[in-house]
Amino acid sequence: GFEARLFASFTGERAELSPVDLAWLEYEIKRTAKKTIAKDRARAEEMRLSQLKLESTQRLMQFKEFLQKRCGGYIHAWRQVFSPDSHSACMMVSRQQFMKVCVQLGFCRNVGLIWKELDRNCRGHISLVDLDFKSAEMLAKFQT
């Protein structure tokens, strides 16, 4: 509709443009500005989430190194520290238990981020599989 009027004014078929003829242009400028703002916000949020993911991965690696040094391995840490009373094969640990053990071990750096990294499915509990799959696999082979 309005594009035809604009084209007609440029080709000389119409001598002048009125503000009514360009009403659509103001709408397009506002729409484009809103789209740009939305894209910028989405890009910033994506960057924030990416940085958070990187930080949580780094914290988990630090925590695993800490467990290796402090407990001598993941299986020992799991069986002796995280789940000492569990005699079942699943050996689940709740968020509250996990936080308590981390404090007892003296590891208090961003434990919430580590929990989120371990409990990716938001189940509310983790197992040795979540901490270290290879160790869980070794333990399973040993138990069978």
Side-chain angles (χ1 to χ4, degrees):
F2 293 112
E3 293 85 0
R5 289 184 192 169
L6 184 60
F7 182 73
S9 69
F10 288 133
T11 59
E13 295 173 17
R14 233 173 122 195
E16 61 184 60
L17 288 174
S18 71
V20 174
D21 294 331
L22 296 175
W24 62 274
L25 186 58
E26 185 177 337
Y27 170 78
E28 283 298 316
I29 291 170
K30 287 179 183 178
R31 189 174 71 85
T32 302
K34 286 180 183 179
K35 283 173 61 176
T36 302
I37 290 169
K39 284 180 183 179
D40 290 345
R41 284 182 182 158
R43 199 174 298 117
E45 180 66 9
E46 185 179 331
M47 181 69 85
R48 186 189 71 78
L49 291 175
S50 176
Q51 289 172 343
L52 185 63
K53 175 68 178 159
L54 178 64
E55 184 181 350
S56 64
T57 301
Q58 289 172 342
R59 295 290 181 229
L60 179 59
M61 288 172 51
Q62 290 171 352
F63 179 67
K64 286 181 157 189
E65 288 173 13
F66 174 82
L67 284 180
Q68 288 281 24
K69 290 177 185 173
R70 181 77 186 257
C71 302
Y74 303 126
I75 294 174
H76 185 264
W78 196 263
R79 295 194 72 157
Q80 300 299 317
V81 180
F82 283 101
S83 190
D85 300 328
S86 179
H87 300 291
S88 67
C90 65
M91 296 188 296
M92 298 294 189
V93 173
S94 70
R95 177 183 164 93
Q96 183 180 4
Q97 289 171 292
F98 180 79
M99 299 293 178
K100 185 178 176 182
V101 169
C102 287
V103 169
Q104 289 170 352
L105 289 173
F107 192 92
C108 303
R109 291 172 277 163
N110 293 336
V111 180
L113 280 179
I114 296 167
W115 175 262
K116 285 181 182 178
E117 189 69 20
L118 291 170
D119 186 24
R120 290 182 182 169
N121 298 330
C122 300
R123 299 174 306 210
H125 61 271
I126 59 170
S127 69
L128 181 57
V129 172
D130 300 308
L131 181 65
D132 187 64
F133 182 78
K134 288 182 181 180
S135 296
E137 196 173 44
M138 261 189 340
L139 184 60
K141 286 179 184 177
F142 178 74
Q143 289 178 341
T144 55

